[in-house]
Each structure stands twice: as structure tokens, then as C-alpha cells.
Amino acid sequence: MLSKKIEEALNKQIRIEAESSQVYLAMACWAEVQGFEGVAQFMFAHSDEERMHMLKLVKFVNERGGHAQVSDLDAPPTEFGSFKKMFETLFNHEVMVSQSINDLVHITLEERDYATHNFLQWYVSEQIEEEALARNILDKINLIGDDKGGLYLFDNDVKQLVAATDSTSK
Ligand code: FEO
């Protein structure tokens, strides 16, 4: 059974994951209308992953005697300036999510809720991967700068990354 404090904290995280899904969906649209198919595919897939992160929390809250809340969400931006800026935004967003997961883990220890603590370990590992991936992409884009030919190759690289991730997850 979840304490009220844990239930509220998990519901806050549900909202963060839902908003993450919206942010990456907006990034996918921005990339797609500019013809960057690889980056768009990457962002669409990432948006789906965030929805999965949200649903996992929703199921857990309901199974543990709480009530998962589906709340209103802040609208994401529609413009992201440049790919470099967009991937910087993505990286900073993931750092914020990791911090939020850390805070949540801390609350479970304070409340001595070891079941939720255990459940959250999946998110702890996932955030290490998400930050590493975002950092990796950001390193690549920093090498390219604003070079158009470089961006074209980068887009192809990202497309292959999505295809590789797809085939390993099946
Ligand atoms: Fe669900 Fe990207 O954190």
C-alpha cells in the first residue's frame, strides 16, 4: 500500500514523463517539417518511450492501492532554434528527469517504502542510459556545428541508430 506522500510523488513523476513525451513529440514535428527524417524518427521513438515510462508508473500506482492521476500538461515549444540547441534542450531535460527520479528515490527511503524503492531502480538505470545517449548525440552535433553537409550525414547516422535500437529491442 502506498503512503499519500509516495502516491503524490509518483503522480508528480507521471506528469513529468507525460510532459517529456510531449516535448519529444514537438521536437519530432519540428525535425520532420524540415526534412530531417532520421532525427524525426529518433524523436518519435523517444516520445513513445516516455509514454511507456509514464504507463509503467500508472500501472504501479494503481496496483499498489493508489490512484494514478492524468493531469493537464504544459504545452511544449514549437520551435527549437537549431539541432544543436534542440539536443542541448533534450540533454538538460533528461538531467532534470534524473534529478526528479533521485528525489523520488530519496522519499521512498524516508518513508521506508522498499517496494517502491525497488521498482524505481529500473528508472535509475534507464536515466543513466538516456543521459549517456543524449550526451553522445550532443558530442556528435558539436563536432558538426552548422555545416549543412554534416547535418545531412548526422541525420543519416541518427536514422541508423534508430534502426539498430529497433532491431535489438525486438
Ligand atoms: Fe522518462 Fe527520458 O525520461
Side-chain angles (χ1 to χ4, degrees):
M1 187 76 188
L2 298 174
S3 71
K4 270 288 156 222
K5 192 171 174 188
I6 298 275
E7 185 178 352
E8 269 169 30
L10 288 169
N11 271 320
K12 199 171 140 237
Q13 192 62 34
I14 287 173
R15 186 185 167 147
I16 288 176
E17 300 294 345
E19 275 178 353
S20 303
S21 180
Q22 297 288 87
V23 170
Y24 298 142
L25 189 58
M27 288 179 175
C29 293
W30 188 75
E32 190 163 55
V33 294
Q34 292 184 84
F36 286 93
E37 209 185 306
V39 175
Q41 277 177 17
F42 174 84
M43 291 299 179
F44 278 121
H46 209 70
S47 173
D48 282 349
E49 259 191 49
E50 298 299 348
R51 183 175 158 77
M52 185 270 281
H53 295 174
M54 178 199 69
L55 282 175
K56 222 172 146 75
L57 281 157
V58 163
K59 296 275 181 198
F60 181 78
V61 170
N62 292 340
E63 273 168 15
R64 298 283 300 152
H67 187 172
Q69 300 298 306
V70 179
S71 63
D72 60 342
L73 303 172
D74 289 337
T78 48
E79 297 288 331
F80 294 92
S82 67
F83 282 112
K84 185 170 166 351
K85 281 200 185 122
M86 186 172 77
F87 280 103
E88 274 167 4
T89 304
L90 182 144
F91 177 70
N92 291 333
H93 188 86
E94 287 305 329
V95 170
M96 180 280 286
V97 175
S98 299
Q99 187 55 52
S100 174
I101 295 286
N102 275 351
D103 293 346
L104 196 46
V105 170
H106 185 73
I107 297 171
T108 62
L109 289 178
E110 279 177 349
E111 294 281 293
R112 298 180 180 221
D113 182 343
Y114 299 113
T116 304
H117 184 268
N118 191 35
F119 167 77
L120 288 174
Q121 296 314 303
W122 183 87
Y123 287 85
V124 172
S125 310
E126 182 71 8
Q127 282 314 119
I128 294 172
E129 274 181 36
E130 296 232 328
E131 274 190 40
L133 179 64
R135 201 189 309 263
N136 198 325
I137 294 180
L138 204 50
D139 285 348
K140 277 192 191 181
I141 208 150
N142 277 331
L143 285 175
I144 298 163
D146 289 326
D147 178 66
K148 285 262 183 296
L151 282 176
Y152 176 78
L153 292 175
F154 169 76
D155 188 58
N156 262 314
D157 254 21
V158 175
K159 198 187 290 183
Q160 276 163 22
L161 190 72
V162 179
T165 317
D166 265 7
S167 60
T168 50
S169 63
K170 271 172 198 155

